[in-house]
Amino acid sequence: MTKRRVRVAVLMDPIERIKPNKDSSLAMMLAAQRHGYELYYMEQRDLWLRDGVAWARMHPIEVRDDYEDWATLGAERIERLSNMDVILMRKDPPFDTEYIYTTYILERAETEGVLVVNRPQGLRDMNEKVFTAWFPQCCAPTLITRDMGDMHAFLHEHHHIVCKPLHGMGGRSIFVIKEGDKNANVVFETLTEYGAHFAIVQKYLPEIVESGDSRILIIDGEPAPYALARIPSPTDNRGNLAAGAHGMGRELNDRDRWLVSEIGPVLRDRGMLFVGLDVIGGYVTEINVTSPTGVRELDKQFKCDIANLLMNAIEKRLLAKMKLNH
């Protein structure tokens, strides 16, 4: 009897719009294909629930490491999501209501035995900025509040702070303020919408200028061997590639490994197989669970294969599930 191939469906943004030289989802698909998996592609709009059962319109897909022609789609088919072995949830933020509804649909597939990476409940529970509060020993001083007076007090205490919305990504709406800055009021008003919404303020970490904002990738609780330091441009405060920062790989240091030892096991136990820690000056500023990037840049600089580590972790989970079922 011929053994059935592992079926992997990838839920992502339109594949024709990606930047193939930088896209971590493409790296994962290439790795899955090298493992001999059957690959399928779908978008948010392709999902639906009927009488409690999760369905999708999806396309078989073949991918190539070609910056001009990276994917070929097969004919559309309708499948129960439970017909898949693995679903990679790689839809980029914003983490809005539609994203939450999508996690509900994926959770119905999970209840039927599909391995969803990352786990839908974890995606809902772990806001990328708020979840740092579960690891205060790893973080610089941080305040999450709607109260503008408390923000002013935090600024007075630390003299130099970073202010961000809780739902942002890619460096959007990040403000750096020094004590005495006359723009402080308008920044606090804008981020909280005059006290109607929570925002986050953190002590400014000057190490970002020279050492950058490092992305440490965690695969099933363990760190990838290198971090991607994103150095802000001379005209910007933000260590985000999308905001013009320059990515430069580096080896992990002892502090990085300690941070992962504190956070990684919690992520692993909660089904978060691929997560990116953002670290400045040895402190975690964000825990990225939705669609972490950085794979392609590190692979290129160090001739490694980080997506293959993820596929190995997925295989380990599938084998464990198979043994449990038998």
Side-chain angles (χ1 to χ4, degrees):
M1 182 176 176
T2 304
K3 183 180 178 182
R4 183 177 67 80
R5 294 166 68 195
V6 172
R7 307 177 90 193
V8 178
V10 184
L11 175 59
M12 59 187 291
D13 292 299
I15 195 165
E16 68 273 11
R17 299 181 196 168
I18 68 170
K19 296 178 180 177
N21 60 321
K22 295 183 177 181
D23 195 88
S24 294
S25 299
L26 178 60
M28 294 175 187
M29 296 168 85
L30 288 164
Q33 194 168 262
R34 288 194 298 272
H35 276 246
Y37 300 162
E38 287 185 27
L39 268 181
Y40 297 86
Y41 161 83
M42 55 188 179
E43 299 174 28
Q44 263 183 316
R45 64 184 179 181
D46 297 320
L47 302 176
W48 74 93
L49 282 174
R50 175 64 190 266
D51 301 326
V53 176
W55 295 82
R57 295 177 182 88
M58 58 180 69
H59 295 264
I61 185 170
E62 178 188 332
V63 289
R64 293 170 293 279
D65 199 2
D66 183 331
Y67 296 170
E68 300 298 325
D69 179 23
W70 55 87
T72 300
L73 299 181
E76 180 182 275
R77 62 175 69 179
I78 292 175
E79 295 267 6
R80 284 180 67 143
L81 289 187
S82 60
N83 290 338
M84 299 294 114
D85 298 290
V86 182
I87 297 172
L88 298 180
M89 173 49 165
R90 293 291 301 171
K91 172 71 182 71
D92 285 342
F95 188 87
D96 54 13
T97 307
E98 291 300 306
Y99 198 108
I100 292 172
Y101 294 154
T102 301
T103 67
Y104 293 147
I105 297 174
L106 294 178
E107 193 163 17
R108 293 303 301 159
E110 185 183 49
T111 62
E112 293 191 73
V114 182
L115 176 63
V116 183
V117 180
N118 284 322
R119 193 176 183 196
Q121 183 180 348
L123 292 174
R124 291 196 299 272
D125 289 351
M126 300 178 189
N127 176 277
E128 303 192 327
K129 297 174 179 65
V130 179
F131 194 57
T132 59
W134 272 247
F135 308 96
Q137 73 277 19
C138 301
C139 304
T142 300
L143 172 69
I144 296 170
T145 185
R146 294 164 55 152
D147 190 291
M148 292 179 283
D150 290 346
M151 290 180 166
H152 277 289
F154 190 88
L155 174 58
H156 179 68
E157 179 182 356
H158 295 288
H159 313 298
H160 199 178
I161 64 172
V162 178
C163 312
K164 298 184 280 189
L166 293 180
H167 60 273
M169 64 163 288
R172 294 175 188 168
S173 302
I174 294 178
F175 297 91
V176 177
I177 303 174
K178 290 184 177 180
E179 191 171 17
D181 190 330
K182 293 183 179 180
N183 287 309
N185 280 332
V186 72
V187 169
F188 298 155
E189 290 165 1
T190 300
L191 289 181
T192 67
E193 294 193 21
Y194 293 89
H197 294 128
F198 286 98
I200 184 170
V201 290
Q202 297 167 317
K203 179 181 177 181
Y204 176 77
L205 299 168
E207 292 87 349
I208 191 171
V209 176
E210 298 294 332
S211 303
D213 182 347
S214 289
R215 167 64 54 84
I216 301 172
L217 295 172
I218 302 179
I219 299 104
D220 204 11
E222 297 295 331
Y226 304 99
L228 184 66
R230 298 160 299 176
I231 314 296
S233 73
T235 59
D236 207 313
N237 287 305
R238 297 170 294 176
N240 302 84
L241 298 179
H246 169 67
M248 184 171 61
R250 64 169 179 81
E251 292 187 358
L252 298 187
N253 57 41
D254 290 343
R255 176 70 177 182
D256 297 329
R257 292 187 180 89
W258 179 80
L259 293 171
V260 174
S261 74
E262 293 288 299
I263 299 172
V266 176
L267 298 172
R268 180 185 61 233
D269 293 347
R270 295 177 68 168
M272 312 307 281
L273 266 67
F274 192 77
V275 177
L277 298 187
D278 287 350
V279 178
I280 302 173
Y283 294 100
V284 173
T285 60
E286 294 188 18
I287 301 175
N288 292 273
V289 299
T290 49
S291 186
T293 60
V295 170
R296 299 287 266 177
E297 292 86 350
L298 290 173
D299 283 353
K300 184 177 180 181
Q301 290 187 45
F302 296 104
K303 309 298 182 188
C304 54
D305 190 350
I306 292 171
N308 188 60
L309 298 177
L310 175 60
M311 293 306 128
N312 290 340
I314 285 171
E315 280 194 357
K316 184 179 176 182
R317 293 268 177 148
L318 292 176
L319 284 171
K321 186 175 73 169
M322 191 182 305
K323 289 177 181 177
L324 190 65
N325 292 338
H326 290 287

